[in-house]
Structure formats: C-alpha cells, structure tokens
Amino acid sequence: ISAFSVFTTLAEVPIMTDSEMKKFIDLQAQQYIPLPLSTIALDWMRVGERVDESGLKKNQILLVAVPKDLIAKYQSIFQYAGLKLISLEVEGMSLARALTKGKSENQLIIDIGARSTSISIANNGLLKFLGQTDFAGSSITQTISSGLNIHPRRSEDFKKERGLYGSSGEHELSTLITPVLDVILYEAKRIITNFESNYGEKVASVILSGGSSNLFGIESYFESKLGMKAIKVDPFKDLNYDKILENALKGIGVNLGVAVGVAMKAYV
C-alpha cells in the first residue's frame, strides 16, 4: 500500500508486555491517530527501544492506520482476480525489510518511483518513519520535455542516456533536473530533522531506490546536499538465486525493492 493512502507514526511508550501494549494502544490510539478510529484498521509493531533524556527506557512502536474502505477495495480486486488475499503491507515496510536488514544504524531510504517518491527511515529491516512527495521520475521527464520542447518519450531517453550531468545542445540537463531533485531533497531534510529532533537518534546514510535512482550522477548530488553517504543497494545481494538469472537482474534491483521485501516477509 502506498504511503499516500495510510497514516503512520512512531510512538514512544513505557516498556510493557504485548498484552499490556495492546490494551494501551486500544485506549490511547486516538491521541496518536488524527483519524476517526471507526473508519480505520489499526496495527502496530515494536521497532526499537530508546533511553530518553530523563533516563527512562521506552519502547518505540510504529502505528499504522489504513482506511477500511481502502482495504475493502483491495479485497474486491483480489476477489475479482480469483486470488486469495493473505495480508496487506505498507510499501515502506517492505523496502525496510529488503534494504536495511542487518544494518543497525538508521538509514534514510529515498525510493524515487515514476509517480511518487517515498522517503523513510529504517534500521535492521524495521520501518521507523515515513513520508512522501509527488515529485518523482515523471516530474523529471516532464521538466526535460518542457525545457527542451521535445516529446516526453525522447525526454525519458535523454534522462536514461545522459543522466544528471549530460547536455543537449545549449542546455545542461542538470539545470532542468536539479530543481525537481531539490524538492525531493527538501522533504528528505525535513524528515531527517523531525526524526532526529523528536527521537534523539541520528541518520547515518542514504539508500537510493526506485527506477529514477538509476539517474547517472544522482548519488554524488544527494551526498553533496545531504552531507552523508548515498548508495544504491541491490535487494538481491544477500539472496540465493539461480546464477542463470544474474545478468537479467543486473540494474533492475532498484525497481524491485518492494517486491523483494514482500517475498522476504515469510522468512524473517
């Protein structure tokens, strides 16, 4: 499920058992969720512990609220398709599982898709913070198309062939592309600031995912603007698969992070 469709929040609560936690959330959910509880399905999971400024140890709980009408929509789609719906999951959770498993430091995941960009913070396979912007790959393509007065399909080719530091005639593509990336970076900085100031933890590095993270030069540009290492992580890196698939999987891993994370759910 896209982050645009759900509400997530990281809550810090006293240390308690699972049964105590369930009762606590049932009683206190409304203070964390700005939606009528009768209209949502609410779930929660433990994602960490922290000692606060007063020395008290607290559980970090990720609360996820999904509108019931959205769940009904997915149920209908699967029913019409003749498939059995086992569970629904926020995309950020799948990405966290696929890209940060085994990483103890907080990672900022910037997943630049075609129509939207999700920006999340996770460690050790667990989602802790989530945001989103509708500036994404299609925004870059449209900007190039308008700036060079060419067809969007040709703009997409320019983007893939020449990257952030390519040129076309009198135009440096960077002058067209960087304003879109800067909007994404602005949201990323806002999320980092909110997380670090509210929870007293630092973000260590950046993981780039999604089709438009293949843009040549994007890692160095994000590093220069965020002041931390930015890399693309292959979600297949630690998975066993037939070597006959190796060439086919090269370069497409950034597009399949969510799918890999969903597949991993049954094994972690």
Side-chain angles (χ1 to χ4, degrees):
I1 304 176
S2 168
F4 272 131
S5 307
V6 303
F7 177 83
T8 62
T9 189
L10 184 66
E12 292 191 332
V13 301
I15 300 293
M16 59 185 76
T17 65
D18 283 354
S19 59
E20 292 171 333
M21 186 72 72
K22 184 179 184 307
K23 292 177 182 177
F24 176 86
I25 290 173
D26 287 343
L27 291 171
Q28 303 296 326
Q30 192 65 75
Q31 69 173 298
Y32 298 108
I33 307 296
L35 301 169
L37 296 184
S38 61
T39 67
I40 62 167
L42 180 66
D43 200 1
W44 62 274
M45 64 184 299
R46 299 176 189 267
V47 295
E49 293 181 352
R50 185 175 80 90
V51 177
D52 66 15
E53 295 75 11
S54 61
L56 294 176
K57 191 175 183 180
K58 292 188 174 181
N59 280 140
Q60 291 183 324
I61 305 298
L62 183 72
L63 295 174
V64 181
V66 183
K68 290 180 179 178
D69 57 355
L70 180 63
I71 293 175
K73 178 181 177 182
Y74 277 105
Q75 289 172 329
S76 295
I77 291 171
F78 276 74
Q79 183 178 357
Y80 286 131
L83 299 173
K84 182 181 179 181
L85 179 61
I86 298 175
S87 67
L88 292 170
E89 183 170 72
V90 177
E91 289 179 355
M93 291 182 171
S94 304
L95 278 173
R97 187 181 302 117
L99 303 182
T100 71
K101 189 67 177 174
K103 298 179 185 292
S104 59
E105 295 181 311
N106 291 314
Q107 312 287 313
L108 181 76
I109 303 173
I110 303 179
D111 183 48
I112 311 174
R115 293 178 293 180
S116 65
T117 297
S118 70
I119 304 169
S120 55
I121 295 173
N123 68 27
N124 201 28
L126 298 173
L127 177 66
K128 301 183 80 171
F129 213 74
L130 182 62
Q132 191 136 349
T133 174
D134 55 5
F135 284 82
S138 59
S139 309
I140 296 173
T141 301
Q142 187 56 52
T143 299
I144 295 173
S145 176
S146 301
L148 301 183
N149 194 28
I150 58 176
H151 193 277
R153 186 173 298 174
R154 184 61 180 140
S155 301
E156 186 71 17
D157 292 339
F158 270 13
K159 183 175 71 173
K160 292 178 179 178
E161 294 167 4
R162 308 186 186 193
L164 184 56
Y165 300 115
S167 61
S168 176
E170 298 177 355
H171 298 271
E172 291 290 333
L173 292 188
S174 62
T175 63
L176 300 173
I177 295 174
T178 54
V180 177
L181 297 183
D182 287 345
V183 175
I184 295 172
L185 285 164
Y186 175 84
E187 183 63 17
K189 291 176 182 177
R190 188 188 67 81
I191 287 172
I192 292 172
T193 298
N194 285 347
F195 178 79
E196 292 184 343
S197 61
N198 288 331
Y199 303 105
E201 300 179 23
K202 292 293 183 182
V203 174
S205 59
V206 182
I207 296 173
L208 299 178
S209 180
S212 289
S213 70
N214 273 327
L215 187 71
F216 178 74
I218 193 172
E219 295 107 309
S220 60
Y221 187 73
F222 275 48
E223 283 183 5
S224 68
K225 296 294 184 178
L226 293 174
M228 61 183 75
K229 184 71 174 176
I231 60 172
K232 285 182 283 189
V233 176
D234 182 358
F236 295 102
K237 178 177 177 291
D238 297 320
L239 301 182
N240 293 322
Y241 54 86
D242 195 318
K243 292 303 178 183
I244 197 172
L245 298 172
E246 193 164 358
N247 288 333
L249 293 177
K250 283 181 179 178
I252 67 170
V254 292
N255 296 291
L256 298 174
V258 173
V260 170
V262 171
M264 289 173 61
K265 186 175 182 179
Y267 302 99
V268 296

